Amino acid sequence: MKLSALIRALVMATAGLLLSACASFGNGGVDNPGGGIAVDTSGLPVMQRSVTTPSNWNELIGQIRASDTQNLGIQVNRVRDGSLRVILPGGTAFRGGSARLNNKMKPVLNAVAGAFAESPYLRIKVVGHSDSQGDPVTNQTLSITRATAVVNYLIQRNVKSVLIELEGRGSIDPLMSNSTAQGRAVNRRVELYLYEIR
């Protein structure tokens, strides 16, 4: 008698836990903050958006590299998550310590902007960086204003603002040590991350 009562209590407790877990997932739990499971018109679950690698990445890399006719030191490489990273060195992308975009950089940004006409799924994240010299607040502000200058130019080239994300990271994410002039020059940059979401 006592064993069956204990088993019944365990079954009830387990069932209660399962029901509460299901309720939390179905009503805005961690795995689905919007609540419920999204389904298409046939009643099948809709897949979550995921980053994809476009088939024309190699073509785009070639276009960006070819547009760097002034040898400005543009770097283009694939990132492990499938995105494409374009690094614009601060020393050649902007005029002397300012956030004013250098005209020589515009052909590179034109190539990036042109890619948006090819894919409705393309998105871009623009991240500004600085070195660690001087005031951290000033460095943070400069990283934001330089990223903003790039974003504004892309918008002028018909890239919709809703497809662009902007971030200024100041000096918190260096590529090289800030203890040398060469390292500081490398750290002053704007990075563009291109990716598709389907």
Side-chain angles (χ1 to χ4, degrees):
M1 292 283 198
K2 290 184 179 180
L3 184 58
S4 67
L6 179 61
I7 292 171
R8 196 174 330 150
L10 284 171
V11 169
M12 295 298 286
T14 304
L17 286 172
L18 287 172
L19 285 173
S20 65
C22 290
S24 70
F25 285 117
N27 294 317
V30 176
D31 284 353
N32 189 4
I37 297 173
V39 294
D40 62 18
T41 53
S42 64
L44 296 172
V46 175
M47 298 299 292
Q48 293 294 322
R49 296 186 310 170
S50 61
V51 175
T52 62
T53 303
S55 58
N56 67 340
W57 249 196
N58 289 335
E59 181 183 330
L60 180 56
I61 290 169
Q63 289 173 358
I64 292 170
R65 288 183 175 150
S67 65
D68 183 13
T69 56
Q70 303 288 321
N71 294 320
L72 301 172
I74 307 299
Q75 294 179 44
V76 186
N77 52 51
R78 293 174 187 250
V79 183
R80 229 180 301 177
D81 67 1
S83 63
L84 187 70
R85 179 173 70 167
V86 182
I87 301 177
L88 312 177
T92 54
F94 300 94
R95 297 187 182 173
S98 74
R100 188 170 178 196
L101 199 58
N102 189 334
N103 286 333
K104 293 177 182 178
M105 191 60 62
K106 291 180 179 178
V108 175
L109 294 177
N110 291 345
V112 171
F116 282 82
E118 304 296 319
S119 171
Y121 305 107
L122 195 61
R123 304 290 184 271
I124 188 168
K125 182 174 185 177
V126 180
V127 185
H129 298 270
S130 72
D131 62 29
S132 63
Q133 294 289 93
D135 177 50
V137 174
T138 302
N139 290 337
Q140 175 67 18
T141 302
L142 182 61
S143 71
I144 292 171
T145 54
R146 284 185 166 183
T148 302
V150 171
V151 167
N152 287 341
Y153 185 78
L154 292 173
I155 291 171
Q156 289 172 12
R157 302 298 300 173
N158 299 318
V159 178
K160 295 178 181 175
S161 60
V162 296
L163 307 179
I164 305 172
E165 185 181 350
L166 182 146
E167 183 180 352
R169 297 188 58 82
S171 62
I172 65 171
D173 194 10
L175 291 177
M176 294 181 68
S177 170
N178 279 299
S179 61
T180 66
Q182 180 187 2
R184 290 191 295 273
V186 168
N187 293 335
R188 294 187 296 268
R189 68 200 188 277
V190 174
E191 296 179 342
L192 313 178
Y193 291 91
L194 291 147
Y195 58 97
E196 283 191 343
I197 293 185
R198 291 181 186 267

